């Protein structure tokens, strides 16, 4: 791997002497490495090298084109803020595609990330960062972006896929997951409500991030404020409720996404309040009434949708998400279902919290 990474850095014309690399193990699809170079004057400089998962991103060049467009757009509006800069090869491409894979390289921003965040000020700051991302792109022409993963948050289609694959049962695993399937299909209408509203023209398409996990926010080590949001691979036209909901299902859960302590999974309403505060403050004045009405539901929708995706991957032989042990996707499914069940119980409280912030900032 050393040689491959070193060659990739050469391809991106990184100046100085290659010293070392380490893998950054966050993320369920791509492979990410931090690489350190020594420059001619002796200073050390780090970069991030990433191998894009081309099973997931079937059209990686379109992914890069989307990212370039939106990072340039944001940089023009906020030139002095930290942001991702993708390096170019000699032939002016932002990627290298060879027999070792599809690679890109960008600046390393000194910062830290957190998978579980109980510092409520940081959670609010993350909410502001995702809200701001949404707002900075609110006048960007969403139709100029490629839909790099078609129907990514089309919950109706996700359910159809699960239904079809569980009928085919290619690995004989369906007998283990009867309860999970039954529960997921029992809440299908509610889980598909946002997609239904989009299909009937009740919700506008916006430029959305589509992977708003709190570990996709870089925080400043000293101030603990959000510096920027990262992981722009899934930036596409989408619904604001998806971005809000995905953030909620990840950040508010008492346990990690793949915890086996299902009985402890659930929404921490303090974290919910903190994130909603930051996000709604940034976005409230540019969202429609219908969009605002979907926010509290969003977490439930995304928890159910991701459950269908994890469960479908389990049933079809774990081809999509990286797994660390054989039933990892089943554990992830059960944890998301437990979270979604708790969200149903707390829906009234979540709606009230959202309404109060809307009143406060509108
Ligand atoms: C994947 O790899 P990562 O963490 O960026 C997935 C998201 C899921 C997430 C669940 C392109 O994101 O949609 O919510 O795992 N990304 C893609 O942890 O499918
Ligand atoms: Mg991602």
């Amino acid at each position: 791997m050393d040689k491959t990474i070193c060659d990739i850095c050469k391809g991106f014309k990184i100046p100085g002497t290659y010293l070392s690399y380490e893998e950054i193990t966050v993320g369920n699809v791509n492979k990410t490495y931090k690489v350190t170079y020594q420059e001619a004057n002796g200073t050390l400089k780090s970069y991030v090298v990433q191998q894009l998962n081309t099973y997931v991103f079937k059209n990686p060049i379109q992914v890069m084109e989307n990212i370039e467009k939106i990072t340039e757009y944001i940089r023009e509006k906020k030139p002095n803020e930290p942001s991702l800069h993708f390096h170019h090869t000699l032939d002016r491409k932002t990627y290298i595609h060879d027999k070792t894979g599809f690679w890109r390289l960008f600046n390393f921003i000194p910062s830290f990330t957190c998978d579980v965040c109980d510092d409520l000020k940081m959670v609010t700051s993350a909410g502001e960062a995702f809200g701001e991302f949404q707002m900075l792109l609110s006048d960007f022409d969403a139709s100029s972006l490629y839909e790099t993963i078609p129907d990514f948050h089309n919950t109706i289609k996700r359910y159809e896929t699960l239904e079809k694959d569980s009928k085919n049962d290619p690995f004989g695993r369906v007998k283990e997951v009867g309860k999970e399937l039954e529960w997921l299909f029992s809440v299908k209408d509610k889980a598909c409500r946002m997609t239904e509203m989009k299909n009937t023209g009740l919700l506008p398409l916006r430029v959305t991030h589509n992977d708003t996990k709190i570990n996709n926010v870089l925080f400043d080590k000293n101030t603990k404020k959000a510096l920027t949001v990262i992981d722009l691979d899934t930036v596409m036209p989408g619904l604001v409720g998806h971005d809000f909901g995905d953030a909620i299902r990840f950040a508010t859960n008492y346990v990690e996404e793949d915890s086996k302590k299902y009985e402890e999974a659930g929404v921490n309403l303090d974290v919910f309040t903190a994130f909603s505060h930051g996000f709604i403050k940034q976005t409230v004045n540019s969202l429609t009434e219908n969009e605002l009405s979907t926010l509290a539901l969003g977490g439930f929708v995304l928890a159910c949708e991701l459950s269908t995706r994890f469960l479908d991957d389990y049933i079809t032989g774990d081809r999509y998400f990286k797994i660390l042990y054989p039933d990892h996707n089943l554990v992830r499914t059960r944890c998301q279902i437990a979270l979604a069940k708790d969200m149903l119980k707390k829906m009234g409280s979540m709606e009230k919290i959202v309404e109060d912030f809307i009143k406060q900032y509108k």
Side-chain angles (χ1 to χ4, degrees):
M1 191 43 96
D2 233 352
K3 168 138 187 358
T4 309
I5 302 248
C6 191
D7 286 347
I8 296 300
C9 294
K10 271 192 206 140
F12 283 110
K13 307 176 293 178
I14 299 304
T17 316
Y18 169 82
L19 291 184
S20 62
Y21 81 91
E22 59 182 284
E23 185 166 355
I24 301 175
T25 51
V26 285
N28 289 335
V29 299
N30 295 326
K31 285 206 163 148
T32 310
Y33 305 89
K34 177 183 172 193
V35 178
T36 304
Y37 262 71
Q38 184 162 37
E39 298 190 322
N41 63 7
T43 50
L44 299 185
K45 187 153 182 186
S46 295
Y47 302 87
V48 180
V49 172
Q50 234 176 8
Q51 186 186 34
L52 204 79
N53 181 329
T54 48
Y55 178 80
V56 169
F57 297 102
K58 308 270 188 235
N59 204 329
I61 297 175
Q62 292 186 350
V63 170
M64 294 312 294
E65 283 183 24
N66 277 358
I67 293 178
E68 269 178 78
K69 277 188 199 154
I70 61 128
T71 47
E72 271 166 30
Y73 194 80
I74 291 177
R75 228 180 345 262
E76 265 174 34
K77 287 193 173 179
K78 298 194 81 181
N80 301 320
E81 302 289 313
S83 65
L84 301 185
H85 291 261
F86 287 82
H87 285 238
H88 288 86
T89 58
L90 263 186
D91 51 357
R92 300 291 306 154
K93 291 195 176 110
T94 51
Y95 56 87
I96 293 174
H97 199 177
D98 62 18
K99 61 180 185 317
T100 65
F102 188 98
W103 300 87
R104 64 216 175 162
L105 185 149
F106 50 94
N107 54 319
F108 175 80
I109 301 175
S111 57
F112 72 102
T113 56
C114 51
D115 291 324
V116 182
C117 184
D118 42 26
D119 179 329
L120 297 180
K121 283 197 180 132
M122 282 172 64
V123 176
T124 300
S125 184
E128 281 177 27
F130 279 122
E132 186 187 35
F133 179 86
Q134 172 73 234
M135 284 310 96
L136 287 171
L137 292 165
S138 61
D139 50 3
F140 184 97
D141 175 15
S143 68
S144 74
L145 293 176
Y146 295 107
E147 198 182 348
T148 47
I149 305 184
D151 294 314
F152 191 58
H153 283 313
N154 184 331
T155 319
I156 297 176
K157 288 231 164 127
R158 296 285 187 189
Y159 266 93
E160 283 169 5
T161 305
L162 179 62
E163 194 170 4
K164 177 173 78 37
D165 289 335
S166 53
K167 277 195 185 121
N168 291 339
D169 193 15
F171 288 80
R173 290 179 174 174
V174 167
K175 58 182 178 302
E176 298 164 47
V177 299
K179 271 197 203 141
E180 288 75 13
L181 282 169
E182 194 190 333
W183 188 82
L184 280 172
F185 279 96
S186 76
V187 295
K188 183 177 168 195
D189 284 353
K190 203 175 181 79
C192 292
R193 193 168 295 162
M194 256 158 56
T195 303
E196 200 64 63
M197 285 174 78
K198 180 195 145 221
N199 290 349
T200 50
L202 292 173
L203 296 172
L205 272 186
R206 299 191 176 266
V207 179
T208 44
H209 180 283
N210 290 313
D211 195 7
T212 49
K213 305 197 288 195
I214 200 162
N215 60 12
N216 279 332
V217 178
L218 301 184
F219 290 98
D220 184 294
K221 283 185 183 147
N222 299 317
T223 64
K224 294 191 174 173
K225 287 247 184 283
L227 290 170
T228 187
V229 304
I230 55 165
D231 190 359
L232 306 175
D233 295 330
T234 45
V235 171
M236 281 182 271
L239 303 181
V240 69
H242 288 140
D243 269 5
F244 182 79
D246 207 14
I248 291 304
R249 69 131 200 105
F250 190 83
T252 69
N253 198 350
Y254 282 109
V255 295
E256 287 195 52
E257 187 179 85
D258 59 355
S259 169
K260 291 182 184 168
K261 295 183 179 163
Y262 314 127
E263 65 293 343
E264 288 176 27
V267 188
N268 179 332
L269 286 177
D270 293 334
V271 177
F272 181 88
T273 305
F275 188 90
S276 304
H277 189 176
F279 191 90
I280 293 173
K281 182 176 154 198
Q282 288 283 352
T283 55
V284 67
N285 287 308
S286 50
L287 299 183
T288 65
E289 288 300 317
N290 279 345
E291 283 178 305
L292 292 169
S293 79
T294 61
L295 294 183
L297 180 69
F300 174 79
V301 168
L302 270 285
C304 292
E305 184 189 281
L306 190 57
S307 303
T308 69
R309 297 175 61 198
F310 285 147
L311 186 54
D312 185 68
D313 204 30
Y314 182 69
I315 289 172
T316 55
D318 307 305
R319 296 169 305 171
Y320 189 99
F321 295 105
K322 285 192 257 173
I323 55 165
L324 300 177
Y325 52 88
D327 61 351
H328 201 165
N329 273 319
L330 182 55
V331 169
R332 288 170 171 148
T333 307
R334 290 184 171 148
C335 191
Q336 285 304 296
I337 289 181
L339 170 66
K341 285 182 177 170
D342 189 59
M343 286 177 162
L344 275 186
K345 285 193 203 138
K346 294 178 182 159
M347 193 58 75
S349 311
M350 292 195 287
E351 279 166 354
K352 170 91 176 63
I353 292 164
V354 166
E355 275 161 27
D356 286 349
F357 283 125
I358 293 174
K359 273 191 210 130
Q360 184 179 335
Y361 287 105
K362 209 155 169 93

